[in-house]
Amino acid sequence: MMTAKEIRDSFKSFFESKEHLIVPSAPMVVKDDPTLMFTNAGMNQFKDIILGNRAPKSRRVADSQKCLRVSGKHNDLEEVGHDTYHHTMFEMLGNWSFGDYFKKEAISWAWEYLVDVLKLDPKNLYATVFEGSPEEGLERDNEAAAIWEQFLPKDHILNGNKHDNFWEMGDTGPCGPCSEIHMDSRSDEEKAKVPGRELVNKDHPQVIEIWNLVFMQFNRKADHSLEPLPAKVIDTGMGFERLVRTLQGKQSNYDTDVFQPIIKQIGALTGKQYGQDEKVDIAMRVVADHIRTIAFSITDGQLPSNAKAGYVIRRILRRAVRYAYTFLGQKEAFLYKLLPVLIDNMGDAYPELNAQKTLIEKVIIEEEESFLRTLDTGIKLLDKVMADAKSAGTTVISGVNAFTLYDTYGFPLDLTELILRENGMTVNIDEFNAEMAKQKARARNAAAVENGDWVVLKEGETEFVGYDFTEYETSILRYREVKQKSGVIYQIVLDKTPFYAEMGGQVGDQGVIVSEFETIDIIDTKKENGLPIHITKKLPQHPEAPMMACVDTDKRHACEANHTATHLLDEALREVLGTHVEQKGSLVSPEGLRFDFSHFQKVTDEELRQVERLVNEKIRQDLPLQEHRDLPIEEAKKLGAIALFGEKYGDKVRVVQFGQSIEFCGGVHAASTGHIGLFKILSESSIAAGVRRIEAVTGQAVEEMIYGLQDTITALKNILPGSSIETAVKKAIDENAALKKQIEEFMKEKTAQLKDKLIEQARNINGVMVISALIPAPAAVVKDLVFGIRAEKPAGTLVIIGSEENGKPMLTVSVSDDLTSRFNAGQMVREAAKLIQGGGGGQPHYATAGGKNPEGLHAAVESLIKAIEN
Ligand code: ATP
Ligand code: MG
């Protein structure tokens, strides 16, 4: 039996033998594409090639790509665990032709690999082809069908509709028919009863799609019409885990050597057995699947958080916690305990798992614990909702409540329903669905963008000249209109550009493009699918005119200084804190810099100073920028350059060096460190378990900061008399303390006087000496007063005080010990507190209550006196 690793290798060597270049998997977390959070198919990393923005290194490429299908167009999350063949993270094996071979080779090689190399039995294989679409004027993909007929009997070739068999990149762009290969792995008896062809694309767990071959031959325009694609593309994707399961003769992906070690460990840790109870099995599959996703996202640089991609990861983690909590009896953090077996299993192929072990563990534990607390709160909330429903005489809880539990506390409907069922209750599903639909509509509207077609003036690729120039002669290659929620903007692609497009944490350049007719403001520069895009609010009147592209140099130079300072900061942190420091995020703008890094405790003030001193020393040394452009990646590594995990690098990289600081970096930098001027840290904080954030400023921003400090000090000096601020403040504090003491003594005296006066005014009601008053005194004074009276009149006395401090009313009742059988201070206060909109209590001899409504104090005291009279 082939192992998973052997299967992966065999795929690569097969396509290598067909002259494909084998490339590495791109990172799973997508950082520079606004339309995509995670890689969800092998083709993502080639989008720019397919769109013609970049020339391919080779026309034939193959790889194994880590994919994540948990958001957007491909979201399998709810299936995962419930079935045995959808995962959140999975590997997609794929081969590509960029304008090289087409359907004939793609189909024959797929067949050759599956049947000749892997020895799959052809009688279990089915292929689908596009049936055509009259309204689009497209006929059946007879070309593909004819090729399949060389290998498969006609009744194993099935027609598929537009939904399953016509692939589109998006609303616009490349598209075309596709052809899927399905595998029937049922027993012979079952096959005899129902032929496999009837189960293809019917969600049968043993008749599943394993490989999809996409034939991109059209381009979809904004008006929805199709035009032929000049360079046709083959894009195939095969689910690795599904292939392994087929070859290892298993009925479920989770029974293969990819997942078994994790499943076994879950069993060992929870004492549950896989394969005995469907609910437990689902939970074990969910946990086994999700732990991979979570660990890999963290190494890829995407930590769980409360927004965007980070939130998606957080929700996956919470889903795993919930299943473990409900079905595996795990009431405490547990997922992190699976890391060792995951690393054992996958650490060889993915060394970053081992390298970042501590960080992954810390992040997971903290997330688990904080969610378990939320879960607890949610369960209490649900208890209350159920109690309210019961007292309202119904057994159906509102769907709005169920949605709040889902949205805020991460309770999916099935968990809520489960708890309700245990209590003989149900939920209004229609209401829940309506809330869900509302939320989806809100999300859709917020994200809606409409791209117009490109208006192409000249073919060509943009050349970036911004490392050497901030002004350059250029012309427009193409432009288009983009309608967003916030208004209409235009995207312009230039022939040559000095504008840096936002990337690697550095914000895009701003500036102007100028022709003899007009000046256009560029408000931002970004990259979309590898294409540098200049964003403007105004379209040029004469787009074909020669132009000058001019970057706003003040902003650019400030950016450069901040970027260079970031490299020096990184180096200094490693020196002061240790080499475990690894960049986890970075933002470089003209205003300042932000640097996130792994470190497991607070950075002390002393360490921060040391870091600042080191950076400023490097600034004074005025180290020149040593730039290595187009360095082969192997040589860059030999130089000892620091690379980032989860970043996509080509064969040739740019390396930026200032003295000992050497980093892979595409950003723009100061010509020498002296240009930074001065470096100052503004803050250090924690942003997640094991991740710290430093915010800092340089150059002129430090100057401004110093002026700000100076102004504050001058202002203080003007207020405080004396030569030194320190002495003056100390004196003020001492005086304050002395005054406070005086006031306390004064209060004591007053309290004693008040006590005597109140005793004098005591009334006899029903044989009880009642002392009552309304006074504007703090709680501590009232307490002293009441206890003073108790000491002096230990028997036959009842004291009632209404007091007020800073607008907050308070009631105090004291009953002398001999009267507690007749009067209970606690009960009296509780009853009367309603009049001040408050509550409280205490003991039978002494009780207090606070409230919100001081207006009610008088009535409250009166009501207490009444109570004694009766
Ligand atoms: P399905 O209909 O089974 O969800 P799909 O049509 O979404 O598959 P494609 O987008 O064509 O699949 O992806 C190519 C291949 O990737 C599929 O043939 C399948 O083998 C695999 N695949 C797709 N989604 C998953 C997933 N969530 N987990 C594991 N493998 C998957
Ligand atoms: Mg799918």
Side-chain angles (χ1 to χ4, degrees):
M1 189 174 81
M2 281 171 96
T3 62
K5 184 173 179 316
E6 287 162 356
I7 296 168
R8 188 190 295 112
D9 290 344
S10 87
F11 179 85
K12 292 184 185 168
S13 45
F14 176 79
F15 280 98
E16 212 163 15
S17 78
K18 306 288 182 201
E19 287 150 44
H20 285 61
L21 175 72
I22 307 301
V23 300
S25 172
M28 191 168 73
V29 181
V30 176
K31 302 207 174 83
D32 289 318
D33 182 346
T35 62
L36 200 62
M37 290 199 266
F38 305 103
T39 296
N40 61 24
M43 55 76 54
N44 296 157
Q45 69 159 317
F46 306 116
K47 240 171 115 178
D48 50 356
I49 297 177
I50 298 168
L51 289 167
N53 298 340
R54 173 168 68 98
K57 230 181 307 173
S58 159
R59 291 183 172 282
R60 297 182 182 185
V61 167
D63 72 4
S64 159
Q65 172 67 52
K66 281 179 279 177
C67 294
L68 192 53
R69 292 197 163 182
V70 289
S71 61
K73 176 177 162 194
H74 288 295
N75 188 348
D76 294 335
L77 186 59
E78 294 306 321
E79 262 73 59
V80 175
H82 289 264
D83 73 17
T84 53
Y85 58 104
H86 280 96
H87 301 295
T88 52
M89 177 184 130
F90 65 101
E91 284 178 70
M92 197 186 280
L93 305 171
N95 57 292
W96 284 268
S97 152
F98 305 116
D100 190 43
Y101 63 83
F102 207 48
K103 293 180 195 177
K104 180 164 158 287
E105 292 82 352
I107 293 175
S108 335
W109 288 342
W111 185 263
E112 185 183 336
Y113 178 60
L114 292 179
V115 175
D116 299 342
V117 177
L118 298 179
K119 310 283 180 228
L120 288 185
D121 187 344
K123 79 172 196 298
N124 293 331
L125 295 176
Y126 293 85
T128 61
V129 297
F130 179 46
E131 65 187 3
S133 160
E135 69 266 29
E136 298 250 23
L138 293 172
E139 57 172 39
R140 176 174 184 259
D141 191 355
N142 292 321
E143 188 187 352
I147 304 167
W148 280 119
E149 279 167 26
Q150 297 172 22
F151 306 110
L152 279 170
K154 271 196 168 148
D155 65 349
H156 278 233
I157 303 169
L158 310 167
N159 281 345
N161 59 21
K162 214 172 130 183
H163 176 257
D164 284 326
N165 284 79
F166 195 85
W167 184 91
E168 310 219 20
M169 187 185 273
D171 293 340
T172 56
C175 57
C178 62
S179 196
E180 307 153 341
I181 303 171
H182 294 255
M183 167 83 194
D184 181 358
S185 54
R186 294 173 303 150
S187 66
D188 288 338
E189 291 105 290
E190 283 176 275
K191 285 179 198 159
K193 273 187 243 153
V194 184
R197 54 176 290 126
E198 286 173 22
L199 298 174
V200 166
N201 271 335
K202 295 284 188 312
D203 292 334
H204 189 289
Q206 304 305 333
V207 184
I208 59 171
E209 176 187 330
I210 54 172
W211 203 345
N212 192 359
L213 316 177
V214 178
F215 315 125
M216 290 179 216
Q217 57 192 93
F218 304 109
N219 180 38
R220 170 90 60 194
K221 298 176 66 179
D223 66 2
H224 296 295
S225 62
L226 294 171
E227 63 184 11
L229 204 62
K232 292 192 183 111
V233 171
I234 288 292
D235 157 26
T236 86
M238 170 154 60
F240 171 65
E241 296 77 4
R242 294 186 190 181
L243 179 67
V244 172
R245 157 247 190 101
T246 306
L247 290 170
Q248 295 185 348
K250 307 289 186 196
Q251 302 280 299
S252 151
N253 292 11
Y254 295 90
D255 293 340
T256 65
D257 59 347
V258 180
F259 285 100
Q260 267 304 301
I262 308 179
I263 296 269
K264 287 217 178 88
Q265 181 66 7
I266 298 173
L269 288 171
T270 60
K272 305 269 180 195
Q273 274 230 319
Y274 189 72
Q276 305 211 319
D277 171 352
E278 180 64 6
K279 290 237 163 76
V280 170
D281 291 356
I282 291 174
M284 286 173 106
R285 292 197 288 260
V286 164
V287 170
D289 175 277
H290 291 7
I291 187 68
R292 297 194 333 153
T293 302
I294 299 159
F296 276 89
S297 315
I298 296 171
T299 59
D300 244 19
Q302 186 55 67
L303 303 183
S305 74
N306 59 8
K308 296 184 187 158
Y311 191 55
V312 176
I313 301 303
R314 175 168 283 169
R315 298 221 355 228
I316 295 172
L317 187 143
R318 292 181 166 187
R319 187 169 186 261
V321 173
R322 250 197 315 99
Y323 275 89
Y325 180 96
T326 315
F327 301 107
L328 304 177
Q330 299 305 303
K331 308 293 178 204
E332 272 162 35
F334 146 81
L335 297 177
Y336 76 96
K337 294 185 192 153
L338 296 169
L339 279 177
V341 62
L342 179 72
I343 292 175
D344 244 18
N345 211 23
M346 304 191 80
D348 281 345
Y350 301 96
E352 65 267 30
L353 282 177
N354 228 327
Q356 304 197 40
K357 199 163 64 185
T358 320
L359 176 70
I360 307 175
E361 186 177 280
K362 291 222 181 234
V363 171
I364 295 184
I365 294 185
E366 176 164 309
E367 282 285 322
E368 282 194 81
E369 287 178 345
S370 103
F371 181 55
L372 284 165
R373 284 193 295 271
T374 315
L375 211 57
D376 229 40
T377 322
I379 287 174
K380 288 200 185 108
L381 188 81
L382 187 54
D383 282 344
K384 184 168 177 306
V385 170
M386 289 193 296
D388 287 352
K390 264 187 199 137
S391 57
T394 168
T395 58
V396 185
I397 75 152
S398 140
V400 179
N401 284 328
F403 187 77
T404 308
L405 279 163
Y406 161 82
D407 202 35
T408 315
Y409 297 92
F411 277 49
L413 189 58
D414 59 5
L415 178 65
T416 305
E417 283 182 314
L418 184 91
I419 299 174
L420 289 175
R421 228 178 356 258
E422 285 163 2
N423 290 276
M425 303 184 93
T426 53
V427 62
N428 183 332
I429 304 274
D430 290 340
E431 255 174 39
F432 178 88
N433 288 339
E435 288 299 307
M436 185 72 117
K438 270 192 242 166
Q439 195 199 41
K440 287 206 170 129
R442 278 195 298 272
R444 244 196 325 273
N445 286 338
V449 265
E450 238 178 83
N451 289 333
D453 286 328
W454 283 109
V455 178
V456 179
L457 301 178
K458 242 193 308 180
E459 290 295 339
E461 270 185 58
T462 304
E463 186 191 337
F464 175 64
V465 297
Y467 292 139
D468 305 306
F469 302 94
T470 51
E471 275 186 27
Y472 215 82
E473 274 174 39
T474 186
S475 56
I476 294 181
L477 291 178
R478 48 174 148 155
Y479 62 88
R480 70 173 171 188
E481 184 185 82
V482 174
K483 287 198 191 110
Q484 293 174 326
K485 193 98 216 268
S486 53
V488 175
I489 55 158
Y490 301 91
Q491 300 183 333
I492 296 180
V493 180
L494 295 177
D495 172 25
K496 298 196 169 63
T497 183
F499 282 75
Y500 183 82
E502 176 176 335
M503 190 131 73
Q506 180 177 334
V507 303
D509 275 330
Q510 300 178 16
V512 289
I513 47 178
V514 188
S515 73
E516 63 171 306
F517 307 103
E518 57 197 327
T519 298
I520 305 280
D521 283 325
I522 301 297
I523 54 174
D524 200 358
T525 316
K526 283 188 164 46
K527 260 192 186 171
E528 244 182 66
N529 300 313
L531 196 68
I533 285 167
H534 304 75
I535 298 168
T536 84
K537 296 220 158 148
K538 196 175 125 204
L539 202 58
Q541 301 290 305
H542 301 271
E544 67 301 326
M547 310 201 172
M548 203 61 188
C550 314
V551 170
D552 178 330
T553 47
D554 285 350
K555 288 199 171 117
R556 161 67 87 84
H557 292 323
C559 238
E560 289 172 349
N562 286 329
H563 203 153
T564 304
T566 303
H567 285 206
L568 298 182
L569 171 63
D570 192 5
E571 188 194 12
L573 284 169
R574 283 165 172 265
E575 194 170 327
V576 174
L577 304 178
T579 47
H580 62 280
V581 166
E582 220 171 75
Q583 176 172 340
K584 285 288 154 208
S586 153
L587 177 74
V588 175
S589 73
E591 289 73 37
L593 64 100
R594 198 174 78 195
F595 189 71
D596 302 338
F597 57 99
S598 47
H599 183 57
F600 305 116
Q601 66 250 13
K602 186 164 176 46
V603 188
T604 64
D605 289 348
E606 208 169 301
E607 287 166 334
L608 287 176
R609 276 242 165 134
Q610 238 177 308
V611 167
E612 281 175 340
R613 281 191 196 286
L614 276 173
V615 172
N616 282 314
E617 196 178 302
K618 296 275 154 71
I619 294 174
R620 285 190 298 273
Q621 285 170 5
D622 196 20
L623 303 165
L625 162 66
Q626 286 172 274
E627 189 196 5
H628 312 267
R629 276 184 218 169
D630 296 321
L631 199 63
I633 191 156
E634 288 314 317
E635 278 181 47
K637 284 184 187 153
K638 262 188 233 146
L639 274 181
I642 297 176
L644 288 183
F645 275 121
E647 207 59 54
K648 187 167 119 191
Y649 296 109
D651 297 338
K652 296 252 177 86
V653 296
R654 179 166 177 264
V655 168
V656 166
Q657 178 171 6
F658 292 96
Q660 300 302 310
S661 150
I662 314 176
E663 298 200 16
F664 282 55
C665 181
V668 290
H669 283 273
S672 67
T673 56
H675 287 82
I676 301 170
L678 196 58
F679 169 82
K680 182 81 191 86
I681 293 174
L682 298 180
S683 67
E684 190 272 349
S685 58
S686 156
I687 56 161
V691 183
R692 315 289 311 177
R693 166 170 293 176
I694 281 182
E695 289 178 293
V697 286
T698 66
Q700 211 180 332
V702 183
E703 250 172 64
E704 296 307 329
M705 197 189 104
I706 293 173
Y707 287 139
L709 284 174
Q710 248 179 1
D711 291 349
T712 314
I713 292 172
T714 314
L716 281 176
K717 268 198 180 140
N718 289 343
I719 303 171
L720 296 165
S723 53
S724 125
I725 299 182
E726 228 177 297
T727 339
V729 170
K730 200 169 169 301
K731 199 168 149 225
I733 291 173
D734 289 349
E735 274 173 16
N736 205 1
L739 284 172
K740 207 167 157 194
K741 215 163 169 199
Q742 267 183 18
I743 291 177
E744 271 165 18
E745 268 159 26
F746 183 67
M747 283 289 240
K748 247 188 214 148
E749 231 168 78
K750 281 271 285 197
T751 314
Q753 284 170 8
L754 187 61
K755 181 189 72 187
D756 294 345
K757 199 170 133 209
L758 289 179
I759 291 176
E760 253 169 50
Q761 291 173 353
R763 284 182 283 170
N764 186 322
I765 302 174
N766 284 340
V768 178
M769 186 163 126
V770 177
I771 295 170
S772 70
L774 279 174
I775 49 175
V781 172
V782 174
K783 192 171 176 189
D784 276 356
L785 175 67
V786 172
F787 277 84
I789 299 175
R790 278 185 77 89
E792 211 167 305
K793 300 277 168 201
T797 321
L798 213 152
V799 187
I800 302 165
I801 307 285
S803 61
E804 195 184 324
E805 184 184 7
N806 300 330
K808 291 243 165 69
M810 187 171 127
L811 284 173
T812 306
V813 173
S814 157
V815 179
S816 58
D817 292 338
D818 60 322
L819 294 179
T820 49
S821 53
R822 282 174 63 197
F823 301 102
N824 181 323
Q827 271 169 20
M828 290 171 75
V829 128
R830 245 192 308 280
E831 197 47 42
K834 290 176 187 159
L835 293 165
I836 54 168
Q837 285 176 21
Q843 290 152 5
H845 73 278
Y846 178 80
T848 60
K852 282 187 239 160
N853 173 28
E855 318 279 271
L857 259 185
H858 181 75
V861 170
E862 286 306 308
S863 81
L864 284 165
I865 295 172
K866 276 250 164 55
I868 305 166
E869 284 169 353
N870 301 327

